[in-house]
Amino acid sequence: MKQVATDIMNHFWPAVILLGIGTLVLRGGFIVVMGQRMPSETMRRLLAYIPSAVLPALIVPAIVYGEQSYVIDGQKIAAGLIAGVVAWRTRSAIVTIATGLALLGAMRAWM
Amino acid sequence: MTTMKSFLAGVQAQSPILIGAIPFALVFGATASSKGIPSIESMLMSVIVFAGAAQLVAVQLMASHAPLFVIVMAGIVVNLRFLMYSASLAPHLSEEPIRRRVLTSYLLTDQAFAICMAEFTRDARQVDRFWFYMGAGLTLWVGWQCGTAAGVVLGASIPAHWPLGFAIPLTFLVLLIPVLTDRPKVIAACVSGLVALAAHGLPYSLGIVIAAAAGILAGYYMETRR
């Protein structure tokens, strides 16, 4: 048991520190560096698509696939679609997440 | 609006969404703990990195004995979206002194970004942007640390068949829906989702970056076509 714990911790601190610094650089990239300069018109229009393009890249594979890539999980898709409708209708994070988790939990337990 | 009112407005705007981020933190804490990372180290990771998706990816790679380079690269790639968020937020915070800008950078998350962009692009009320951001950002920060601690402590007690991990995409879904206000945005989302599905097997989580880039270009193209 102790051997396993030591193995995973081999790269822990270097990884965490490098990742922490790297992430801060990404986060601060424009906020700290840009100062007073405003982005160009084209830049601004491209930037407007960030939330609508970045979030689905995180959401869709996580809902469609199970533990393995390219293996489709029908229950998650169903729960995800219903949660999407709930999010659209209620605009409530609490209701959406509770509904999604409850639906998936129920399907896992009884199907 | 006063400093305090702006701060509280930020806290208030962020709080409902925090409910979604807590299970995410719980999952991280529980996962890190179950893979053998000691409690203090898990909690410190949530402080130093403060990015759930990257933390999970990194911990899973550590558990499969990936080389240091792979662990860090995968985490950075997953977090590339923060660079984009930074570009969008920068104009709104450009007046602030550099110390404040570094602080706001550290607190940048998907949730803080969504809340602040929604607020800063509103004409209605005039909040003090820095303090609104601090209210939103700190709320999420505190929630994230508490969630991680709870996950580390309770992890083993959570029944294995509870699909808590599903809360993670749901958290992001809640942030996505309000943003889909016109057809180009919906198209951007659809293209991104499809590309992400196809590219999921790529190493270093590159699929996410490629999908996001495809979505942005698709949306921009649809907008200019009108």
Side-chain angles (χ1 to χ4, degrees), chain A residues 36 51 61 92:
Chain A
Q36 303 288 334
S92 162

Side-chain angles (χ1 to χ4, degrees), chain A residues 8, chain B residues 27-38 42 45 56 59 152:
Chain A
I8 194 182
Chain B
V27 169
F28 169 72
T31 304
S33 184
S34 72
K35 304 262 187 211
I37 298 181
S42 303
M45 191 174 185
L56 272 173
V59 163
V152 166

Side-chain angles (χ1 to χ4, degrees), chain A residues 1-52:
Chain A
M1 280 311 272
K2 211 173 180 191
Q3 181 58 40
V4 174
T6 318
D7 279 343
I8 194 182
M9 292 305 285
N10 266 344
H11 295 310
F12 182 85
W13 280 116
V16 168
I17 294 190
L18 287 171
L19 195 48
I21 296 174
T23 305
L24 188 58
V25 167
L26 289 173
R27 284 167 156 148
F30 289 97
I31 292 176
V32 173
V33 171
M34 268 204 40
Q36 303 288 334
R37 299 198 313 274
M38 297 296 280
S40 66
E41 176 64 29
T42 307
M43 200 57 189
R44 248 182 295 156
R45 281 162 59 191
L46 283 169
L47 289 175
Y49 287 100
I50 285 166
S52 47

